[in-house]
Each structure stands twice: as C-alpha cells, then as structure tokens.
C-alpha cells in the first residue's frame, strides 16, 4: 500500500491507497515543529482504526510547500514505517513539460494538480484550487503545464478583513441565502462568497481567451464543493486532486533505496534538509 502525504500551508493530509481505492485520509493542522513521534502517535492510530497497520505500508510519497515540515515527515517514514519516501520535486519523472519562464518557481501542489487533472480528464483544462491561496493552473491540449494565476485564498481574505476593520467580526465561510445582507455578518458573507465566485469566473474567462480550444474547468480544494454551488463554471469537482497527483507521481517513479536498516535512525545531510 502507498502512504501519500500532502503538506500544505494550512493542513497536512495523510492518505492510504491500496492500489485500487483510497482506504482512508486524515487531516491535521500544519505545524513545522511537530515531531516524527507526534505524527506516529496520531497517524498510526488512525490507520489502525481503518483496519490497517503500519506494516501494510510498503511505499510513501511526500509533497510539501512547507520546506520546514519535510524533515520530520521524512523522519516519520524512516523511523516508524522503515520506508525511504519519495519526495515530490524536480528530480522525479513527471511525464509532462513545463512551459513557463521559471520552472523552479512552480509550487509542487500546482504541478501535482496539473498532473492529476490532465491524466484524469485530458487537456486543455484549467484547475482552480481553493486552498490557502486560490490558484489557477493551465494545461494545454498537448498536456503541457503553461502557468496560471495566484490570488489570495478565501480564509486569508476573511482574516485580513477582520484584522483590518476593527468593527467587523470574524465569520465563517458559507453561501448566503441572499446577496443583499441585512446584517453585518450576512453582508460580509455575501461579499466574500459572491466576490470569490465573481473573481473565479472572471479570471477563468480571461485565461480562456488566451488558450487554444475550450478548456475543461476543474475545481479542487476543501472549499471547492461549497463554491461550486454558486456557479455552473466547473465541469468537474475533485476536492482531493492533489492526493491523486501524488499517487500518480509515485506510480511513475521507483522508490529510493533505504539508507539504513529498518528501525535504525540516520542523520540527514545538508542537501536533504534543503530539498
């Protein structure tokens, strides 16, 4: 079985795939100070509740946009699962080109979304990811990644609004029953929700004008189902698209050989800590 670890700016998701289906996925808040032992207590307990054990895991892959979290995640795989994990980076075989000015600047989450979406649906397409940032990733008809756009995420904008305006409360994200808010809370929720729907529709429209062919539009991220209720823009809604990208990337690449005996700790080199 394959353990997939998607470490984002807000949450880290652990998921197990048995070669046919996902057997479970679990989410924890991102904290780059959390140790490998803390991960083990939490993750292995949840894996056991799914009817599995750590011994069922033969491979692992980690994708992260938080470099400081990598050390303890990799140490967890080595010390508690006796596995040398794949790390989603430029050294792996991705199977599609990046037609951008600075490939090294493309976040691994964006590359994984592009890989999963073009494998599942074919290009041309646009992936809209409702994460810490709201990202728009473009894949052309030949399957090449062509760049996109990055906007502030929904929760980030919500927190900035609360922090910058003393009299505005902190609210949750939700679809309002009406566009005209008759209270401050409802007015904020309307502005946030319909503002983001309008932004997404507008950016996708502008991107489409620059593409060859009519793209399919894919929504992903935890808030994708909520925002898909307010527009008919999306052809597919796949909340866990990044996990699927990690699974596909693992299938394209061989696992590295363990550099220590099972259960034996080893030191990290400077190059490993910087990857």
């Amino acid at each position: 079985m394959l353990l997939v670890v998607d470490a984002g700016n807000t949450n880290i998701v652990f998921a197990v795939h048995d070669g046919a289906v996902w057997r479970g996925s679990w989410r924890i808040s991102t904290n780059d100070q959390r140790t490998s032992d803390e991960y083990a207590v939490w993750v292995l307990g949840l894996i056991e509740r799914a009817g599995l054990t750590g011994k069922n895991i033969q491979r692992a892959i980690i994708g992260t946009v938080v470099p400081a979290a990598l050390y303890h995640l990799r140490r967890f795989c080595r010390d508690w699962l006796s596995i040398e994990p794949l790390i989603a980076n430029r050294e792996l075989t991705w199977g599609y080109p990046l037609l951008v000015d600075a490939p090294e600047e493309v976040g691994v989450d964006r590359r994984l979304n592009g890989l999963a979406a073009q494998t599942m649906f074919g290009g041309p397409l646009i992936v809209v990811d409702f994460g810490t940032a709201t990202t728009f990733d473009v894949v052309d008809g030949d399957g090449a990644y062509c760049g996109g756009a990055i906007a502030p995420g929904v929760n980030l904008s919500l927190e900035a609004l609360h922090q910058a305006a003393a009299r505005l409360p902190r609210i949750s994200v939700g679809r309002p029953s009406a566009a005209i808010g008759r209270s401050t809370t409802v007015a904020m929720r309307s502005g946030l929700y319909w503002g983001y729907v309008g932004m997404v529709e507008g950016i996708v429209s502008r991107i489409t004008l620059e593409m060859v062919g009519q793209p399919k539009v894919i929504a992903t991220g935890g808030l994708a189902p909520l925002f898909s209720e307010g527009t008919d823009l999306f052809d597919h809604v796949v909340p866990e698209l990044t996990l699927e990208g990690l699974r596909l990337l693992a299938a394209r690449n061989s696992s590295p050989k363990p550099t220590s005996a099972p259960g034996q700790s080893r030191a990290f080199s400077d190059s490993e800590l910087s990857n």
Side-chain angles (χ1 to χ4, degrees):
M1 293 187 183
L2 173 70
L3 174 69
V4 168
V5 183
D6 173 25
N9 289 298
T10 303
N11 293 305
I12 300 178
V13 180
F14 293 78
V16 174
H17 197 277
D18 67 6
V21 297
W22 293 101
R23 296 290 296 271
S25 66
W26 308 276
R27 187 178 303 263
I28 192 171
S29 60
T30 300
N31 178 353
D32 58 24
Q33 298 302 308
R34 187 173 282 116
T35 68
S36 59
D37 295 341
E38 290 175 294
Y39 285 125
V41 170
W42 183 75
V43 176
L44 295 179
L46 291 170
I47 287 177
E48 289 180 3
R49 292 195 65 178
L52 307 171
T53 70
K55 294 180 179 179
N56 294 124
I57 310 298
Q58 291 90 35
R59 302 185 71 206
I61 184 168
I62 301 170
T64 180
V65 296
V66 185
L70 179 57
Y71 175 88
H72 291 293
L73 289 170
R74 181 152 43 182
R75 177 65 77 192
F76 161 70
C77 292
R78 287 173 172 173
D79 292 352
W80 288 90
L81 300 177
S82 300
I83 291 172
E84 186 68 25
L86 279 165
I87 308 300
N89 56 31
R90 287 179 291 150
E91 298 176 4
L92 299 186
T93 299
W94 288 76
Y96 69 98
L98 272 67
L99 304 182
V100 296
D101 295 335
E104 70 279 3
E105 294 180 359
V106 180
V108 66
D109 53 339
R110 302 180 69 192
R111 293 194 65 176
L112 290 165
N113 286 343
L115 171 62
Q118 62 118 324
T119 301
M120 295 170 68
F121 307 112
L125 57 85
I126 302 170
V127 179
V128 183
D129 189 347
F130 294 92
T132 304
T134 300
T135 58
F136 301 77
D137 297 304
V138 178
V139 175
D140 67 17
D142 295 324
Y145 180 89
C146 301
I150 302 174
V154 177
N155 286 311
L156 187 63
S157 296
L158 190 61
E159 186 63 21
L161 186 63
H162 167 69
Q163 293 290 343
R167 294 181 62 85
L168 294 183
R170 180 181 282 110
I171 66 170
S172 60
V173 181
R175 182 180 180 181
S177 57
I180 301 175
R182 300 188 183 278
S183 68
T184 298
T185 298
V186 177
M188 290 174 64
R189 187 168 287 123
S190 175
L192 183 78
Y193 185 86
W194 294 116
Y196 262 84
V197 169
M199 179 193 73
V200 169
E201 290 177 336
I203 291 178
V204 168
S205 176
R206 288 181 178 273
I207 289 175
T208 299
L209 292 175
E210 300 177 16
M211 298 180 68
V212 177
Q214 182 65 32
K216 294 177 282 293
V217 184
I218 318 300
T220 189
L223 292 175
L226 173 64
F227 281 91
S228 68
E229 295 175 3
T231 177
D232 58 2
L233 176 68
F234 302 115
D235 297 291
H236 303 279
V237 178
V238 188
E240 304 297 349
L241 191 67
T242 310
L243 293 182
E244 189 63 22
L246 282 164
R247 184 189 70 80
L248 291 166
L249 187 62
R252 292 173 180 263
N253 293 269
S254 300
S255 294
K257 294 181 180 179
T259 51
S260 60
Q264 176 184 344
S265 298
R266 58 177 284 277
F268 287 91
S269 67
D270 290 341
S271 62
E272 285 181 303
L273 292 174
S274 63
N275 283 341

